[in-house]
Amino acid sequence: MFTRPNSAPTANVNVERCPAVIVQRLGAGYPSDRDAIHDINFVVHPGERVSIIGPNGAGKSTLFKAIAGLVAHHTGEISIHGYDCRSSHSMVGYVPQYEDIDWHFPVTVNDVVMMGRVRKIGMFRWPVRRDYQEVERRLEQVGMAQFRQRQIGELSGGQKRRVFIARALAQETDVLLLDEPFSGVDASAEQEILATLDVLRAAGVTVLLATHDLGMATSQFDKLMLLKRTIIAYGQPEEVFTPQNLRAAYGGRIGVFHQGDEVIILADEHGHGD
Ligand code: ADP
């Protein structure tokens, strides 16, 4: 599924046994906030499902944009399957936040997924049979093939997100970055997206997903990353959700309640993370 770029992998790396993502000493930001994220180090293994949590402004989107090549990083390295991500940002599929997408743009589901093929097709060329086959395969993978001729604006929230997952996969990557796909969706859409994530897990796709839903992060993911400009904790939920770590990320704006075996974590997300 994963297509290797033409360039050589990062020196001294055995590509066959490489982690899916390695981020080392990463620093990235904006002219007005140069160090939005700094000193970020982590490894994600192939097929792992990792959730990234942290308050508003913690740098979750910036981290994704840096990995996807949409924000330049001024320090550190990012490698995908052992290849420096600068040699080909198309090695990762990035699904932006819902509100960053223009849903009124008059395109069909098929067209949206074909857009994921743009780099493969090349500028000023037409799609060929392989591109159409790949689009169909990805629509089937996310359970949206029967909607291929539907206008994107006419879909439900869960369906729209699944189409964008298909678009990211259509660039022939097996590493996905999903920025808050559960934000603003109802319970049934949430279940649809989770079912799609399970299909991707079975296909060995590596998923990094930013969310504000701490309960879901605990129950549905292999690992959690708690971020506040830098990584506060990364690992299994029980290692990450300690009172010290949660206080470091959310300050006093978080409560942990025990109800029998269940742990309920409530974060006040209205404040800014700084
Ligand atoms: P999160 O996704 O965790 O809410 P972001 O990555 O959006 O956090 O933001 C991290 C920091 O970068 C914040 O201080 C935010 O104000 C700043 N930031 C985000 N996007 C931009 C931008 N386009 N220009 C300038 N600063 C930005």
Side-chain angles (χ1 to χ4, degrees):
M1 183 192 302
F2 166 65
T3 348
R4 294 203 172 110
N6 294 326
S7 58
T10 311
N12 301 324
V13 170
N14 179 343
V15 173
E16 299 309 323
R17 302 181 57 193
C18 234
V21 182
I22 307 176
V23 171
Q24 291 171 294
R25 302 177 307 279
L26 183 73
Y30 311 89
S32 57
D33 190 357
R34 188 175 145 78
D35 287 321
I37 51 172
H38 58 87
D39 202 26
I40 304 274
N41 299 281
F42 67 92
V43 169
V44 182
H45 296 286
E48 276 185 332
R49 198 196 275 184
V50 175
S51 84
I52 300 179
I53 50 178
N56 286 330
K60 301 181 291 294
S61 296
T62 305
L63 174 60
F64 281 175
K65 287 177 184 167
I67 297 173
L70 301 171
V71 167
H73 53 284
H74 54 73
T75 58
E77 282 120 51
I78 303 165
S79 80
I80 310 294
H81 289 297
Y83 291 86
D84 186 317
C85 83
R86 270 177 263 233
S87 61
S88 174
H89 285 298
S90 64
M91 285 191 292
V92 291
Y94 166 63
V95 179
Q97 285 190 21
Y98 186 85
E99 52 267 31
D100 291 343
I101 298 168
D102 179 3
W103 298 106
H104 300 294
F105 200 70
V107 284
T108 64
V109 164
N110 221 67
D111 295 336
V112 168
V113 181
M114 189 62 85
M115 285 173 201
R117 302 285 304 160
V118 163
R119 279 197 178 111
K120 296 275 171 207
I121 297 168
M123 293 293 269
F124 310 115
R125 290 176 195 273
W126 293 104
V128 295
R129 198 168 65 155
R130 173 148 196 265
D131 299 307
Y132 289 106
Q133 285 171 341
E134 182 66 10
V135 167
E136 190 62 19
R137 185 163 85 89
R138 298 312 186 169
L139 282 172
E140 276 167 18
Q141 202 169 19
V142 302
M144 287 298 294
Q146 71 272 36
F147 297 97
R148 60 177 81 73
Q149 296 307 337
R150 188 76 71 86
Q151 292 289 312
I152 188 79
E154 295 170 358
L155 300 176
S156 72
Q159 290 170 335
K160 284 177 181 159
R161 284 157 175 90
R162 281 152 62 200
V163 170
F164 266 70
I165 291 173
R167 175 185 183 255
L169 290 166
Q171 61 186 67
E172 291 178 44
T173 177
D174 62 359
V175 178
L176 283 190
L177 312 174
L178 309 181
D179 201 348
E180 300 200 23
F182 299 110
S183 145
V185 301
D186 61 19
S188 74
E190 195 173 287
Q191 287 311 312
E192 275 176 44
I193 300 165
L194 281 173
T196 301
L197 292 183
D198 286 342
V199 171
L200 300 183
R201 187 202 283 276
V205 175
T206 306
V207 171
L208 280 74
L209 184 152
T211 182
H212 282 280
D213 188 333
L214 305 188
M216 179 178 300
T218 318
S219 60
Q220 301 288 341
F221 290 82
D222 304 314
K223 282 186 185 161
L224 307 188
M225 181 186 300
L226 185 55
L227 190 71
K228 191 178 179 189
R229 292 183 168 263
T230 194
I231 294 177
I232 290 170
Y234 179 50
Q236 308 293 317
E238 58 276 14
E239 297 163 348
V240 171
F241 277 158
T242 66
Q244 302 91 300
N245 289 341
L246 290 168
R247 250 196 311 277
Y250 293 92
R253 293 179 290 107
I254 192 150
V256 182
F257 305 93
H258 294 266
Q259 202 172 57
D261 287 343
E262 210 180 342
V263 179
I264 300 166
I265 300 164
L266 293 177
D268 171 9
E269 271 299 331
H270 299 296
H272 195 272
D274 292 329

